[in-house]
Amino acid sequence: MKRYLVLEDGSYFEGEAIGASSYRIGELVFNTSMSGYQEILTDPSCSTQIVMMTYPLIGGYGINRDDNESLKSYVFGFIVKDSCEFPSNFRSEETLNEYLTRQNIPGIADIDTRALTRKIRNEGIMKASFCDTEEEIPSLVNQLKEAPDFHDTVSKVSTKNVYPIPGRGRKVVVVDFGVKLSILRELSERGCDITVVPYNTSAEEIMSYYPDGVIFSNGPGNPEDLPVVLPNIEKLIPQTVVFGIDLGYQLIALACGAKTEKMKYGQHGDVPVRILAEDRVVITVQNHNYMVNADSLKETRLEMTYQSINDGVCEGFRHLDCPCFGVQFHPEANAGPHDCNGLFDDFMAMMEKEDKENA
């Protein structure tokens, strides 16, 4: 069955329908990861996105029950060059097409993803959606042009209730802006006693759990849409060890007086990053449309620690006065790479050091 991908500038691509037929307007982005499509589909940071994979064949190892980053898929659409109908992996339980259909996610295959990637790279992120016939395209283009920007995305993916993940080690509060299960797994593997709280939980309530440290998680959308959380972050930074990932990192920057801005086409997939103190390059996994303005750090007590090789974007910082640091990328990344997984060990070491100094 034919399906059309329609962009707000009036261009469109004809391809083969995969997945469901419930269409929504989303932000079209390209992702350069060569594997991990299941993790991308279930990453809450992808909420409101129509994700296009640049790697040509997707679905080769199917879908399994173990690799999810959340309990459901949050993408608004999925685009591939070739959708594998006969996956080969001992863990595979269903095909990509079957999963998309079950999760009510529309998709399209057999389009020129290289041409579409170049278009987004040159013209920037734009709104898009799907339709079934050419006759629907003019009307859909008008809808795309008039569609408002996406706001209030975090409230749709954050937990509504506090919940524990018991452990015998350090007490860690995770502020959920759209937390990936891999972050919780990394903490559990280190024996942490975890409490996950909604994104707008007050600093006073967070400290009532007597945390050794606090993690501000990844999540979707514009950090400037969340002014309610900035006073909480300001209060927490002097009181406990703080680690920010992705959106959490951007929010720490705002709370400390830095600025964020929207990128032309974001960073989605594998990105080489330089560790400035070591002059060493690592490969990271990223998924964001906003960045911290590096120049704005000069007027704060934050110091840049990581920088993108591709475009010079600030990818991480540390606080000069408090045990607080953050990174734009995902150190817990699955299916990989795992070059920066040791940041969770750094977080553990900082909690240990603070405990000894306060003893």
Side-chain angles (χ1 to χ4, degrees):
M1 188 173 102
K2 284 185 179 180
R3 181 168 288 166
Y4 296 88
L5 170 70
V6 183
L7 282 58
E8 66 177 301
D9 68 351
S11 59
Y12 64 92
F13 293 76
E14 178 185 322
E16 178 185 348
I18 58 174
S21 300
S22 56
Y23 306 147
R24 289 180 287 181
I25 292 174
E27 281 192 315
L28 177 60
V29 303
F30 64 83
N31 192 299
T32 59
S33 296
M34 292 188 289
S35 63
Y37 53 84
Q38 181 172 340
E39 289 86 346
I40 292 166
L41 283 165
T42 54
D43 181 356
S45 296
C46 291
S47 177
T48 73
Q49 293 179 4
I50 294 177
V51 178
M52 178 189 63
M53 304 300 294
T54 60
Y55 191 74
L57 177 62
I58 300 296
Y61 52 86
I63 299 287
N64 63 71
R65 65 180 185 176
D66 298 321
D67 292 342
N68 292 330
E69 292 291 359
S70 62
L71 297 179
K72 57 172 287 189
S73 177
Y74 286 97
V75 302
F76 279 16
F78 201 56
I79 303 167
V80 299
K81 177 67 176 74
D82 292 310
S83 176
C84 181
E85 297 181 6
F86 303 99
S88 177
N89 187 281
F90 72 97
R91 295 195 303 152
S92 177
E93 296 173 323
E94 61 183 332
T95 67
L96 172 64
N97 187 33
E98 289 168 342
Y99 174 80
L100 293 174
T101 303
R102 181 168 60 83
Q103 289 286 322
N104 205 29
I105 302 298
I108 190 170
D110 198 26
I111 70 168
D112 190 343
T113 52
R114 291 187 299 177
L116 186 53
T117 300
R118 288 195 297 268
K119 184 177 186 64
I120 299 172
R121 186 188 62 195
N122 295 334
E123 301 178 28
I125 295 169
M126 60 183 74
K127 297 183 181 69
S129 190
F130 302 99
C131 65
D132 295 323
T133 64
E134 285 192 72
E135 289 74 22
E136 299 174 77
I137 292 175
S139 173
L140 181 53
V141 170
N142 290 332
Q143 294 178 47
L144 292 168
K145 290 179 178 179
E146 297 172 2
D149 291 334
F150 298 99
H151 297 286
D152 195 31
T153 51
V154 167
S155 65
K156 295 179 175 65
V157 299
S158 175
T159 182
K160 300 298 187 290
N161 303 295
V162 177
Y163 64 91
I165 304 175
R168 295 289 187 180
R170 294 289 172 186
K171 292 186 178 296
V172 177
V173 171
V174 176
V175 183
D176 178 12
F177 297 102
V179 67
K180 293 166 66 176
L181 294 180
S182 288
I183 293 176
L184 304 180
R185 292 188 192 107
E186 291 292 340
L187 295 172
S188 292
E189 286 176 4
R190 290 163 175 80
C192 293
D193 185 21
I194 307 166
T195 302
V196 183
V197 301
Y199 76 98
N200 54 358
T201 303
S202 69
E204 291 75 18
E205 181 177 345
I206 290 172
M207 291 307 297
S208 74
Y209 298 109
Y210 300 101
D212 296 303
V214 175
I215 288 183
F216 294 102
S217 84
N218 63 290
N222 185 350
E224 294 183 4
D225 288 343
L226 297 167
V228 65
V229 309
L230 301 186
N232 296 329
I233 297 174
E234 289 181 62
K235 293 175 184 176
L236 288 167
I237 287 175
Q239 297 187 69
T240 187
V241 178
V242 172
F243 179 19
I245 298 173
D246 185 60
L247 179 62
Y249 147 89
Q250 296 169 4
L251 290 166
I252 291 173
L254 289 176
C256 291
K259 296 179 181 178
T260 59
E261 56 191 63
K262 190 167 186 177
M263 305 176 73
K264 183 176 181 180
Y265 50 83
Q267 292 177 320
H268 308 272
D270 298 340
V271 178
V273 167
R274 187 186 305 280
I275 306 175
L276 298 180
E278 303 176 21
D279 196 25
R280 179 168 63 91
V281 175
V282 292
I283 304 300
T284 68
V285 173
Q286 307 201 20
N287 181 24
H288 61 100
N289 289 332
Y290 294 83
M291 68 178 185
V292 173
N293 184 302
D295 291 335
S296 70
L297 294 181
K298 298 174 183 176
E299 314 213 350
T300 72
R301 297 299 293 164
L302 300 175
E303 176 184 63
M304 183 163 64
T305 53
Y306 293 82
Q307 188 173 31
S308 171
I309 294 293
N310 292 341
D311 50 19
V313 167
C314 176
E315 298 286 356
F317 54 63
R318 69 179 184 94
H319 201 289
L320 296 175
D321 305 317
C322 302
C324 168
F325 70 110
V327 291
Q328 179 63 80
F329 47 86
H330 293 236
E332 79 293 341
N334 285 310
H338 297 147
D339 295 26
C340 296
N341 189 269
L343 285 172
F344 289 98
D345 296 321
D346 295 342
F347 179 58
M348 299 296 293
M350 290 175 72
M351 290 190 288
E352 181 75 22
K353 179 181 178 182
E354 286 298 302
D355 187 37
K356 289 181 179 179
E357 290 179 355
N358 295 327

